[in-house]
Amino acid sequence: MATSTKRRVLPGFRWTLGFTIAYLLAIVLIPLSGLFVKTATLGWDEFVAAVASERALASYRLTFGASLVGALVNVVFGSIVAWVLVRYRFPGKRVVDAIVDLPFALPTAVSGIALTAIYAKNGWIGQWLEPLGIRAAYSPLGVALALTFIGLPFVVRTLQPALLDLEPELEEAAASLGASRLTTVRRVILPAVLPALLTGFAMAFARALGEYGSVVFISGNMPMKTEIASLLIVTKLEQYDYPGATAIAVVLLGASFVVLLAINLLQRWAGRLSAARA
Amino acid sequence: MSIELRGVSKTFGARRVLDRVSLQVPDRRLVALLGPSGSGKTTLLRIVAGLEFPDDAGGRDSGAGRVLLHGEDVTDRPVGERRIGFVFQHYALFRHLDVFENVAFGLRVRPRRERPSEDEIEARVRRLLALVQLDDHARHRPSELSGGQRQRVALARALAIEPRVLLLDEPFGALDAQVRHELRRWLKRLHEEIHVTSLFVTHDQEEALEVADEVVVLDAGRIEQVGTPDDVYHRPATEFVMGFLGRVDRFEGEVEDGRARFGPWTLDVSVRGGGRRAARFFLRPHDWELDVEPRHPSAARARVRELHSAGAIVRAELELESGVTVLAELSQRRLGVLGLVEGGRVLVWPRNFRWLTDDARVPVVESTAAEGSRVLPL
């Protein structure tokens, strides 16, 4: 008699899958669904009023805008850092490599205070920017700065393995065929690392959307100007407006999900482009 | 001259990889750079390509090595301006592009003024794909091709820019034995068709001897010999070439006044006179005469330790009475005539041998076949 289940050579599929689902439920899905339940106590009009108020809209603009700027800056400069770490040998390379991880490890409040101290009007860097008419701390620029800081390791660490995987012969081949350095980067290197670059961008962006600790110090938290969405949520919580807080959280969650999904699809498309290794 | 190197040296850190190498490759030849790993052959190829630069490059002093392509000094030109075709051991195909676009790459990256029209690119790529027999695979990704096919794409890509010379770095190194043999013969035929001067690196002496018109043997950063496959095999210029091209058994012995003594043998040599001198003797597997009758005065007794008779040529490992073993080759027919078996006895003496004294560099070739009227043809 034929058995209904196929015999597997490697055991443990059912156990691990069951565990995975249970784990995701307990850690991710149930807490998140609580968000929706709480929000549902609001009527539709109240919900709209909570999430579409002038102040909330301004905070979305700042959160998404600054996160985007931070992630984009990291894509450019993180790529250069990753490239240098992969391709060159120089004294102190290990130290530089370790510094990249600092934004991961540092408590975000610490980084926020450090950034504020440096970029404030009388800070080390801020004092030079002030005469130029650039206000770094307590401005949207400061928010973008903090979000750039915390996003850096995501881009560098996802790009590094992809660059390691890229044989130097590819560049030599392109050069021997007459391609300039710029053409080689554009037509050979970038397409090869594009999936990793998109992942790095997505992770840095997602991380920035939810960031709180490092931003609250440098932003100054002026409503309509430098107030990010997660701060608005905290403010509402402090006023015991739980449904209002969760309503904004739901919007943030939905938007993040859509953005991540879009990037994921984009990445799959880019992955098909660069296919398996030649 | 298609390729000319003048006194090229290359040092990596403290290691001198190439030591004042000069080389001339005439037009339309297919030349092999042959040597053991670490002999500098790949570095030499990469210097011709412009992927490495010789020591002192840029300086015009007499010590600086120069690289010339078709008479033009290209030492200071970057690789992209040399118009060379380079084929890498591991193909280095652009994996995000299909076969067609890989081949078209060198045409598409040209500055707009020099870029061929879209129709022209299409026509040229199609022609090249037909040449490498991949017309049906134009829209495949490199990952969908076999190793041999990938290397043919790499070759077509290199040929697309109409290179002045074609440089191949261990082009068959990553392929399995059968594909390797096929591709070798195919490359030779292709070269007969397109006649672009080609230089390829290999560590496989069989490959070099089979494919190349001319072989450059390198060791420790120096050129040991340049010659046709026949030359380097039959008339090795140095002891290294002798030992590197094919198996060789060595003996320490001496020569004295027209006689040579090594192992159990005493044989005539062509150099008369001179006192007793130490000498080294070299014998290839096909240099041995085997018989059951003592047809040579110096025939020595040996025991057959092993017989490898699966193949066109039989290889016999013989143990001399002194305990030294030598490797001899004989035909299947001869094996039958002699009736050799493992553990059996046989008489052995050199038919040909080469020898060298410490003060000489080029081995002397000797033949014993003329000696004694009783010698019968094999």
Side-chain angles (χ1 to χ4, degrees):
Chain A
M1 207 183 87
T3 48
S4 57
T5 50
K6 263 195 288 179
R7 277 191 71 164
R8 288 173 188 276
V9 177
L10 301 176
F13 170 70
R14 275 196 243 175
W15 274 99
T16 49
L17 182 68
F19 177 78
T20 304
I21 291 170
Y23 187 80
L24 284 178
L25 274 176
I27 299 288
V28 182
L29 291 177
I30 294 177
L32 285 185
S33 60
L35 209 61
F36 288 93
V37 171
K38 195 78 196 170
T39 309
T41 59
L42 288 173
W44 178 250
D45 292 338
E46 286 170 299
F47 175 75
V48 172
V51 301
S53 69
E54 285 287 303
R55 192 173 164 191
L57 288 177
S59 80
Y60 302 148
R61 271 195 297 275
L62 179 65
T63 305
F64 283 92
S67 296
L68 189 69
V69 169
L72 285 176
V73 168
N74 276 327
V75 161
V76 176
F77 293 96
S79 300
I80 297 173
V81 173
W83 179 261
V84 168
L85 285 177
V86 167
R87 271 302 149 82
Y88 303 109
R89 294 172 60 178
F90 52 92
K93 179 170 165 173
R94 279 172 191 284
V95 178
V96 175
D97 203 56
I99 287 174
V100 168
D101 279 334
L102 274 185
F104 267 148
L106 224 53
T108 49
V110 175
S111 11
I113 292 166
L115 284 171
T116 311
I118 286 172
Y119 286 100
K121 244 189 290 190
N122 48 1
W124 286 349
I125 298 179
Q127 61 178 321
W128 300 107
L129 294 178
E130 192 70 17
L132 301 174
I134 301 169
R135 258 193 97 184
Y138 316 122
S139 72
L141 177 65
V143 177
L145 214 60
L147 296 181
T148 307
F149 174 83
I150 53 137
L152 176 72
F154 291 92
V155 174
V156 176
R157 292 294 177 234
T158 47
L159 205 55
Q160 257 176 326
L163 286 175
L164 270 175
D165 212 33
L166 197 73
E167 316 97 289
E169 282 88 20
L170 288 178
E171 291 161 55
E172 290 179 346
S176 77
L177 293 166
S180 67
R181 194 68 196 142
L182 194 69
T183 309
T184 304
V185 169
R186 200 164 49 85
R187 300 182 79 141
V188 176
I189 299 173
L190 267 185
V193 300
L194 190 60
L197 204 56
L198 281 173
T199 307
F201 172 79
M203 287 171 73
F205 182 69
R207 175 75 176 82
L209 285 182
E211 178 58 15
Y212 174 76
S214 62
V215 178
V216 289
F217 293 99
I218 200 168
S219 71
N221 307 325
M222 289 167 277
M224 305 297 298
K225 282 197 185 120
T226 61
E227 187 179 50
I228 55 168
S230 35
L231 183 81
L232 188 59
I233 293 170
V234 173
T235 312
K236 292 216 180 247
L237 288 177
E238 280 167 352
Q239 295 159 355
Y240 304 105
D241 180 8
Y242 294 129
T246 55
I248 293 172
V250 163
V251 170
L252 212 55
L253 185 70
S256 309
F257 187 74
V258 168
V259 169
L260 289 179
L261 194 70
I263 291 174
N264 228 309
L265 291 175
L266 200 65
Q267 211 180 314
R268 183 144 358 137
W269 166 78
R272 253 204 305 279
L273 267 191
S274 61
R277 43 179 328 161
Chain B
M1 286 304 143
S2 281
I3 303 170
E4 194 177 345
L5 297 173
R6 292 187 192 152
V8 167
S9 296
K10 180 72 185 176
T11 319
F12 288 122
R15 219 165 65 84
R16 178 151 257 208
V17 184
L18 289 175
D19 190 12
R20 281 161 295 155
V21 170
S22 293
L23 176 69
Q24 298 193 331
V25 178
D27 290 347
R28 304 181 158 211
R29 292 290 170 79
L30 177 56
V31 176
L33 284 175
L34 176 67
S37 59
S39 59
K41 54 193 190 303
T42 293
T43 307
L44 190 62
L45 190 79
R46 290 172 63 85
I47 284 177
V48 175
L51 294 171
E52 303 278 358
F53 291 94
D55 292 348
D56 307 319
R60 295 272 167 186
D61 58 291
S62 56
R66 311 306 304 172
V67 180
L68 288 82
L69 293 179
H70 292 279
E72 182 197 348
D73 190 331
V74 296
T75 316
D76 303 317
R77 295 275 209 92
V79 53
E81 290 176 19
R82 292 192 185 188
R83 234 179 79 223
I84 50 98
F86 202 97
V87 175
F88 296 83
Q89 179 176 3
H90 297 288
Y91 330 122
L93 295 177
F94 306 127
R95 63 182 94 139
H96 62 285
L97 300 176
D98 62 23
V99 168
F100 185 98
E101 287 304 323
N102 261 283
V103 177
F105 187 89
L107 303 173
R108 292 211 195 281
V109 298
R110 283 192 190 167
R112 185 150 306 162
R113 272 171 290 112
E114 300 163 33
R115 198 182 305 156
S117 72
E118 201 57 36
D119 289 345
E120 218 171 303
I121 291 177
E122 169 89 19
R124 209 194 285 187
V125 172
R126 291 282 166 197
R127 219 168 32 241
L128 281 162
L129 288 180
L131 186 70
V132 299
Q133 298 157 12
L134 283 170
D135 343 32
D136 303 338
H137 295 74
R139 292 299 163 201
H140 284 80
R141 285 291 162 84
S143 55
E144 299 167 301
L145 303 180
S146 69
Q149 290 172 327
R150 288 182 202 185
Q151 199 55 296
R152 295 199 322 252
V153 175
L155 197 59
R157 182 179 69 178
L159 290 173
I161 59 167
E162 292 172 328
R164 295 194 282 188
V165 295
L166 188 61
L167 308 170
L168 307 101
D169 185 11
E170 303 251 9
F172 316 118
L175 304 170
D176 54 49
Q178 197 172 347
V179 181
R180 194 139 120 194
H181 275 93
E182 265 168 43
L183 207 59
R184 256 189 219 170
R185 280 193 294 274
W186 177 82
L187 177 70
K188 197 167 170 66
R189 280 201 307 277
L190 182 78
H191 182 259
E192 279 157 14
E193 230 172 282
I194 59 174
H195 273 310
V196 54
T197 309
S198 307
L199 192 58
F200 77 99
V201 159
T202 179
H203 63 265
D204 180 343
Q205 39 106 356
E206 193 191 316
E207 187 169 293
L209 297 181
E210 187 184 313
V211 178
D213 306 327
E214 208 165 287
V215 180
V216 177
V217 186
L218 279 148
D219 181 45
R222 288 168 181 271
I223 292 181
E224 292 278 313
Q225 187 174 6
V226 181
T228 63
D230 249 23
D231 275 340
V232 292
Y233 188 80
H234 291 295
R235 288 171 288 282
T238 67
E239 188 176 343
F240 173 81
V241 177
M242 172 92 223
F244 189 67
L245 286 168
R247 150 96 194 215
V248 66
D249 283 308
R250 289 162 204 264
F251 287 89
E252 298 285 332
E254 55 185 33
V255 289
E256 187 182 12
D257 193 24
R259 301 291 281 175
R261 275 182 292 275
F262 63 95
W265 304 284
T266 302
L267 303 161
D268 288 345
V269 290
S270 52
V271 179
R272 307 275 164 216
R276 178 188 291 196
R277 285 168 296 161
R280 292 188 299 285
F281 297 83
F282 311 98
L283 294 105
R284 294 221 194 269
H286 52 74
D287 283 337
W288 299 103
E289 192 74 69
L290 271 65
D291 210 331
V292 286
E293 303 283 340
R295 290 187 295 108
H296 190 275
S298 201
R301 283 195 293 199
R303 192 172 68 87
V304 181
R305 264 179 55 151
E306 269 178 60
L307 272 180
H308 304 280
S309 55
I313 299 286
V314 180
R315 286 180 301 136
E317 214 176 285
L318 307 174
E319 188 179 321
L320 302 171
E321 284 185 328
S322 60
V324 173
T325 56
V326 298
L327 186 77
E329 281 177 0
L330 62 162
S331 66
Q332 291 282 359
R333 197 172 61 86
R334 186 78 184 144
L335 178 73
V337 171
L338 295 176
L340 292 189
V341 289
E342 279 187 6
R345 298 271 158 192
V346 70
L347 294 167
V348 59
W349 65 93
R351 188 187 322 131
N352 306 297
F353 64 96
R354 271 154 259 254
W355 64 277
L356 194 63
T357 52
D358 284 336
D359 50 350
R361 195 169 141 82
V362 182
V364 185
V365 184
E366 304 283 357
S367 172
T368 63
E371 261 181 64
S373 54
R374 286 177 301 163
V375 174
L376 300 168
L378 185 79

